Amino acid sequence: MKIILTQQIPSIATELLKKAGHSVEVLSKNGPLSHSELEKKVVGADAIVSALTDKIDGEIMDSIGKQLKIIANYAVGFDNIDVKEAKKRNIIVTNTPGVLTESVAEHSVALMFAVAKRIVESDTFVRAGDYKHWMPTGFIGQQLWDKTIGIVGLGRIGSMLAEICYRGLRMRVLYNDMKHDERLEMELGAEYHLLPTLLERADVVSINVPLVPSTRHLISAKELRLMKKTAILINTSRGPVIDEKSLVSALKEGEIAGAGLDVYENEPELTPGLAKLANVVLTPHTASATLEARTAMATIVATNVIEALKGNTPPNSVDVQK
Ligand code: GLV
Ligand code: GLV
């Protein structure tokens, strides 16, 4: 059968798909296609392997055709796919959970340290040749040991982050989620709090919720004002969870101390002023970009496609999220 990958992903995916006897076409090796280009080029596929930058809506599904059985997203998040429209057409949607948990949690920690210890600012300073003498009060940052982390969204990634912070840095763990996690409350002493209380008490706030209607602009001007002036905000989930304009103002006004962002509200565009701030560290949506995670994601994507095309329920099918 015919499988279209909207973008090049690690070659293990194509190898597995070809081994299973399918024909494979890769549409782009250099960045995402526009919606209209995509509409033209996906026609006739039995399976689509999409990237998080592809907006797969009902229109695209109709252009592909009635033979389409599965949309396999090469990501754990699947807010780029209209799952409701897929369901109406009996198309399976899958994601790649589990295998990028560690990498994304590590990236949250990396951003947390980079902001707290002012790593990027200091690196720029040294490269510019400005390091002339040791400075008794230069580049003063924050220690993370024994501080409090507030995790918004205690799913797989949020839980892994809680473990790293508790076991590695003896941080107190506060969390907010739709449900309580008794295991982490017991093992890590994690405390459930409503969002306002979590924001008021945490030294580091990490966003780990999926993007769904109820999490869009979950962190806006009002929430940022609740945070400590010394607090650091980390986001490795989806940009629109934070109102980026309000974040830029909060960072400028010193309402919070800093931010570490891997995702942006209008990715890849940045809110004007964001890139000028010294107290932010910005990465290009690379939290899952480790050899380990991306290879495993490619393997999972191929498995989901192969199973679906055999008529089986693939291991990672997803449903509409609220
Ligand atoms: C990356 O953002 C993913 O959802 O896998
Ligand atoms: C995503 O993998 C999550 O559940 O955090």
Side-chain angles (χ1 to χ4, degrees), residues 166 172-175 183-192:
Y166 175 79
R172 228 173 117 212
V173 176
L174 316 182
Y175 76 98
R183 182 181 71 85
L184 291 189
E185 288 183 5
M186 289 248 298
E187 287 179 12
L188 312 182
E191 294 172 28
Y192 180 93

Side-chain angles (χ1 to χ4, degrees), residues 52 74-78 96 100 104 236-238 263 285 288 297:
L52 57 89
Y74 177 66
V76 68
F78 49 93
T96 63
L100 44 64
V104 178
T236 55
S237 72
R238 285 294 181 268
V263 289
H285 206 144
S288 73
M297 286 163 69

Side-chain angles (χ1 to χ4, degrees), residues 76-77 95-98 100-101 153-159 208:
V76 68
N95 68 342
T96 63
L100 44 64
T101 307
L154 202 69
R156 284 173 290 257
I157 296 167
S159 303
N208 298 96

